[in-house]
Amino acid sequence: MFKVLKNYQIAENTFLAEVEAERIASECKAGQFIIIRVWEKGERIPLTIADADPERGTITMVYLRIGASTIRLSKLKPGDFIADILGPLGNPSQISHFGKVIAVGGGVGIAALYPILKELKNHGNKITSIIGARSKSLLFWEDKIGNVSDHLIITTDDGSYGRKGLVTIPLKELLESDSYNRVIAIGPVPMMAAIADLTKRFGVKTVVSLNSIMVDGTGMCGTCRVSVGGCIKFTCVDGPEFDAHLIDFKEFSNRLKMYRNEEAMLVRRLSGR
Amino acid sequence: MKPRIKPKKLAVEERVKSFNEVVLGYTEEEAIKEAERCIQCPTPPCVTGCPISIDIPSFIKALRERRFEDSYKIMIATNPFPSICGRICPQEQQCEKVCTLGKIGEPVAIGKLEKFIGDLYLNKSNPEVTSPNGKKVAVVGSGPAGLACAYTLAKMGYSVSIFESLHKPGGVLTYGIPAFRLPKNIVEGYVNQLREMGVKIEVDVLVGRTIKFEYLLRNFDAVFLGTGAGLPRFLNIPGENLNGIYSANEFLTRVNLMKAYLFPEYETPIYRAKHTVVIGGGNVAMDAARVALRLGSEVTIAYRRSRKEMPARIEEIENAEEEGVKFVFLSSPIRFISRDNFWVSGVEFIRNRLGPKGPDGRRSFVPVEGSNYFMKTDCVVIAIGQLPNPLLPRLIPKLECDERKGTIKVDEEGRTSIPKVYAGGDITTGAATAVEAIAAGVRVAYTIHKDLS
């Protein structure tokens, strides 16, 4: 059982939970994730670790309230307990002095980006961040991402804040105007796929962090399998970061939708519709 | 010679609607009658046929003399989990295969007698535990090997901590083997017994990630690795990542561990197929097929050789057939097809013919050119075997492994290349049976005891 310390909304449909998990807090590295089972009858779902405080023994998750488990999670109050948390899982993000790095975050991917940028910054990289959302109400952590970036660009699809349009517009301008050593992108699949297409043309090494459907998270079930360079890889133990130019995004996106009917049914059931 | 007493089975129409146990146990009278068939061989071949060397004639003798507690004590002197082994051991390939009665008729139903005695004392009797010796052992993985190692060490006075990555202990006994073959209260019973013996079980801990392996080396006098064969094999053929295609591990874990058959009360989904094709011919394939059937699907098992070469237990093949699972033999899948590029809609097979015997004594198979055929399906379960779980070996660079097999290298008594670190079960042998893992857990526990004394 893992005690919830904080759990509140930080943007439209987006929540932040801080949870007591001493061992995970002291062992986790940037880019790793956890598997959480909110309650006894709940599903096991992966969530990115957005921050950790080893001193206090806590980890922070930022999540979108989208399925049964995250709806239930969003209803927990400080002092409540989460049934199970397993982690840290996956390989830590590759951190070194790359030089000039562009980081792109979309939606809750912005939170997943934060610990990685913190480390990249510590290693002396020059970071230009682009964070984007459909609309201003979905944006969060502008300040935190700003603090670990040398330059920050914000986009919204509807133009309600920052530049109007997709993150790929400023990304393309940056790639055209200067040379970069690395791009890291975390966000919705169409965003990551579009970024991979774009950076491939410019020949810039690009990594993305994938969030698959998972059960055990330890390489046992294979539900998180993804084609990378024509080989089957497991997101949980081989990832979650992969070379964006080698991923079959179409297949990956399909696999995320495997249970869309069941998920929708659960959400309807939970909201009493 | 009197005929062997067949244990009653649940009616087929009852079976396919529930996950209740299929093979019902003997009544006391049936057990005694069956036990009376044993001729008490002076040099009993059955004992040598048993991977864990249970004193079979003695437990049977005590049983038929109605000295049930004695019978149970004889049993647990070597096998800590008789209610598990009595159900899932392939007795027809072990003790019962070499039973003297089998030469002239049917062998004694040793497994069913083991189950009878085991069940009689399940949750009722804890073994004597010697007083604590002050030594601590960490057990990584709570499958059959880990549980047996923990049991044996705890009995000898060791302070044992088990670390399990899933939220429930039991390993493959919990996530893999369906309740209709091994009811979950049996595994829970033995796990509770371990707790009562003082074994600490920590779930949600992935050793190497949640806690460092070095932490175990620092804080324990010995470490036992029993992480099993949890890596699913795939076919590496086109279309394998289409939706609707499961590894057997995933399919079974969703149902057994996560209770997806009770969706939406339990929130882990599973696809309810019209027709499921299970690829493979082992016990896992039978389990997957019978689970699929219980989820309301028609089921076809496709196996690349003929019925005779199937590695599954005959009892399980029969159970699957009785329940309505269909079989196609001498068929290898070569690709999966999808009409909408989203969900699987069919499998293309090529027919095989049997070739000469291979090194394992089974006949090989040869694809017949131009014999391709299609089978319509909306769900596929790939049950072609599991490999040792590579995660822990990957996280402990100093640990010597067999690169080809993915197993941890151990000496005859279970010592790895790292001092104080031992291993046993599928992680050292590759996928094998639960009883072999239990036997290894017990054996290595004695090695640990020897080394620490």
Side-chain angles (χ1 to χ4, degrees):
Chain A
M1 298 289 265
F2 296 79
K3 194 176 180 180
V4 177
L5 300 178
K6 293 177 191 164
N7 195 17
Y8 57 90
Q9 195 161 356
I10 55 168
E12 191 185 326
N13 237 353
T14 310
F15 292 73
L16 179 149
E18 192 185 21
V19 178
E20 258 178 25
E22 211 177 302
R23 284 167 166 172
I24 302 174
S26 65
E27 290 299 322
C28 76
K29 298 193 177 67
Q32 290 187 302
F33 65 93
I34 52 170
I35 294 251
I36 154 170
R37 192 175 71 128
V38 178
W39 69 304
E40 189 207 334
K41 295 180 178 177
E43 197 179 354
R44 291 171 67 99
I45 59 160
L47 290 177
T48 310
I49 304 169
D51 211 350
D53 186 340
E55 310 273 290
R56 293 174 56 229
T58 65
I59 55 168
T60 299
M61 293 96 77
V62 171
Y63 59 95
L64 201 58
R65 184 178 59 190
I66 192 169
S69 290
T70 46
I71 291 172
R72 290 189 187 278
L73 181 58
S74 72
K75 288 177 181 162
L76 297 183
K77 295 185 176 55
D80 288 347
F81 287 88
I82 291 170
D84 299 281
I85 302 181
L86 174 67
L89 299 172
N91 298 303
S93 188
Q94 204 196 331
I95 304 288
S96 80
H97 178 79
F98 298 111
K100 283 194 290 186
V101 175
I102 304 176
V104 192
V108 283
I110 296 169
L113 209 50
Y114 173 71
I116 298 171
L117 294 190
K118 211 158 68 170
E119 281 303 303
L120 287 174
K121 186 83 190 148
N122 284 342
H123 281 72
N125 291 286
K126 199 168 177 317
I127 300 165
T128 303
S129 294
I130 309 170
I131 59 173
R134 277 202 319 277
S135 179
K136 187 183 182 219
S137 60
L138 285 153
L139 270 176
F140 61 93
W141 283 17
E142 178 185 345
D143 50 342
K144 285 185 88 158
I145 296 291
N147 287 341
V148 290
S149 309
D150 296 279
H151 185 51
L152 176 65
I153 301 163
I154 296 170
T155 67
T156 52
D157 298 4
D158 62 2
S160 52
Y161 192 63
R163 283 187 61 175
K164 184 178 159 83
L166 302 172
V167 288
T168 39
I169 299 170
L171 175 63
K172 187 163 179 255
E173 291 168 6
L174 289 172
L175 293 170
E176 276 164 349
S177 63
D178 203 347
S179 69
Y180 290 87
N181 305 94
R182 193 177 180 91
V183 172
I184 174 151
I186 311 178
V189 181
M191 180 200 100
M192 293 193 289
I195 289 169
D197 269 353
L198 183 63
T199 58
K200 201 172 186 175
R201 276 188 267 145
F202 288 89
V204 183
K205 166 87 177 179
T206 302
V207 293
V208 294
S209 178
L210 301 182
N211 195 336
S212 313
I213 297 175
M214 291 187 191
V215 184
D216 61 287
T218 63
M220 216 181 71
C221 78
T223 188
C224 67
R225 63 192 190 271
V226 51
S227 294
V228 180
C231 298
I232 292 184
K233 296 282 178 192
F234 290 179
T235 308
C236 67
V237 290
D238 300 318
E241 284 183 9
F242 294 106
D243 184 335
H245 298 152
L246 299 178
I247 295 169
D248 183 341
F249 280 108
K250 174 79 177 86
E251 178 191 281
F252 180 72
S253 158
N254 279 348
R255 290 190 62 79
L256 283 178
K257 293 178 194 135
M258 173 131 174
Y259 295 109
R260 57 188 172 183
N261 297 336
E262 288 83 356
E263 283 159 8
M265 191 258 241
L266 277 182
V267 169
R268 277 197 307 274
R269 202 168 167 263
L270 267 177
S271 49
R273 269 178 281 152
Chain B
M1 187 173 55
K2 284 183 183 154
R4 172 169 162 139
I5 294 174
K6 294 237 170 351
K8 288 183 189 67
K9 284 193 203 174
L10 212 59
V12 168
E13 51 276 21
E14 290 293 311
R15 284 193 221 167
V16 295
K17 279 185 285 184
S18 79
F19 281 75
N20 294 340
E21 189 171 17
V22 164
V23 182
L24 307 172
Y26 280 147
T27 61
E28 195 173 305
E29 290 324 304
E30 285 173 329
I32 287 167
K33 255 172 125 178
E34 180 61 25
E36 280 166 353
R37 293 181 66 235
C38 173
I39 56 169
Q40 297 283 308
C41 304
T43 44
C46 51
V47 180
T48 39
C50 172
I52 202 162
S53 309
I54 298 170
D55 184 353
I56 295 167
S58 301
F59 103 76
I60 292 183
K61 185 163 188 285
L63 195 164
R64 70 186 181 202
E65 289 167 3
R66 294 183 190 266
R67 292 183 289 112
F68 297 142
E69 197 171 345
D70 288 348
S71 179
Y72 179 71
K73 280 189 175 153
I74 294 163
M75 177 85 66
I76 61 165
T78 47
N79 179 8
F81 312 126
S83 290
I84 295 173
C85 290
R87 286 174 168 82
I88 62 170
C89 272
Q91 289 98 7
E92 71 281 1
Q93 291 157 35
Q94 301 172 347
C95 52
E96 294 178 20
K97 185 183 179 182
V98 291
C99 173
T100 309
L101 285 193
K103 295 195 176 91
I104 44 167
E106 285 177 299
V108 177
I110 301 166
K112 302 295 178 269
L113 294 175
E114 180 183 23
K115 169 176 161 177
F116 170 78
I117 279 295
D119 286 5
L120 214 51
Y121 290 93
L122 184 72
N123 298 323
K124 287 192 191 106
S125 156
N126 286 344
E128 280 169 38
V129 174
T130 40
S131 53
N133 63 15
K135 296 200 173 93
K136 290 164 71 184
V137 181
V139 170
V140 184
S142 68
L147 293 179
C149 186
Y151 173 96
T152 311
L153 288 167
K155 228 172 57 172
M156 293 189 288
Y158 288 86
S159 157
V160 183
S161 297
I162 301 182
F163 299 96
E164 165 60 47
S165 70
L166 288 173
H167 57 265
K168 225 174 159 186
V172 71
L173 306 171
T174 298
Y175 74 74
I177 300 174
F180 52 78
R181 238 168 24 100
L182 179 64
K184 295 305 142 198
N185 65 319
I186 291 180
V187 185
E188 282 159 18
Y190 286 126
V191 167
N192 289 338
Q193 183 186 49
L194 282 179
R195 287 204 177 98
E196 279 169 34
M197 289 164 69
V199 173
K200 207 171 147 199
I201 303 178
E202 289 200 52
V203 296
D204 295 330
V205 176
L206 179 60
V207 170
R209 289 279 192 225
T210 312
I211 53 177
K212 286 193 179 75
F213 183 65
E214 290 71 28
Y215 168 90
L216 297 185
L217 289 179
R218 268 200 315 276
N219 290 279
F220 292 88
D221 298 293
V223 181
F224 174 79
L225 307 175
T227 48
L231 180 73
R233 283 184 59 191
F234 285 95
L235 293 153
N236 292 311
I237 60 173
E240 198 163 19
N241 295 345
L242 282 166
N243 284 331
I245 302 181
Y246 291 94
S247 75
N249 268 5
E250 181 190 353
F251 190 71
L252 292 171
T253 302
R254 282 181 180 273
V255 172
N256 299 333
L257 176 72
M258 305 308 295
K259 298 198 190 324
Y261 64 101
L262 298 174
F263 182 89
E265 186 203 342
Y266 282 77
E267 293 175 343
T268 300
I270 188 129
Y271 177 63
R272 298 275 182 158
K274 290 182 197 70
H275 180 216
T276 304
V277 173
V278 178
I279 314 272
N283 288 317
V284 176
M286 300 305 132
D287 283 347
R290 296 171 69 198
V291 163
L293 210 67
R294 283 159 175 77
L295 293 173
S297 175
E298 278 182 40
V299 185
T300 306
I301 289 179
Y303 180 54
R304 57 190 182 173
R305 304 182 214 224
S306 80
R307 171 185 289 263
K308 246 177 78 188
E309 285 79 26
M310 274 191 146
R313 297 186 62 191
I314 295 156
E315 180 178 329
E316 301 310 335
I317 299 172
E318 282 171 6
N319 283 334
E321 257 180 341
E322 283 170 13
E323 289 165 12
V325 171
K326 295 188 205 84
F327 290 82
V328 295
F329 295 104
L330 292 165
S331 295
S332 293
I334 54 168
R335 71 183 170 113
F336 298 107
I337 300 147
S338 172
R339 235 175 280 120
D340 54 7
N341 246 327
F342 181 73
W343 204 278
V344 66
S345 61
V347 191
E348 183 178 346
F349 286 101
I350 187 161
R351 285 189 212 279
N352 301 321
R353 59 177 174 78
L354 285 180
K357 272 188 185 173
D360 61 349
R362 292 191 304 166
R363 292 189 64 182
S364 61
F365 61 95
V366 187
V368 178
E369 214 180 305
S371 68
N372 300 28
Y373 71 98
F374 292 89
M375 189 183 287
K376 255 176 79 173
T377 187
D378 57 336
C379 185
V380 175
V381 180
I382 299 168
I384 56 166
Q386 295 85 235
L387 300 167
N389 198 327
L391 191 52
L392 193 64
R394 230 192 256 179
L395 295 172
I396 313 171
K398 281 181 300 178
L399 192 65
E400 258 182 56
C401 295
D402 182 315
E403 293 298 328
R404 198 178 55 84
K405 288 189 249 167
T407 50
I408 296 176
K409 281 191 186 168
V410 286
D411 70 10
E412 274 168 18
E413 295 182 289
R415 298 178 190 90
T416 70
S417 59
I418 303 176
K420 284 169 57 174
V421 181
Y422 303 78
D426 284 3
I427 191 68
T428 63
T429 58
T433 59
V435 66
E436 286 167 288
I438 292 173
V442 172
R443 200 172 55 238
V444 179
Y446 287 120
T447 307
I448 293 173
H449 179 58
K450 189 166 86 181
D451 290 357
L452 292 186
S453 300

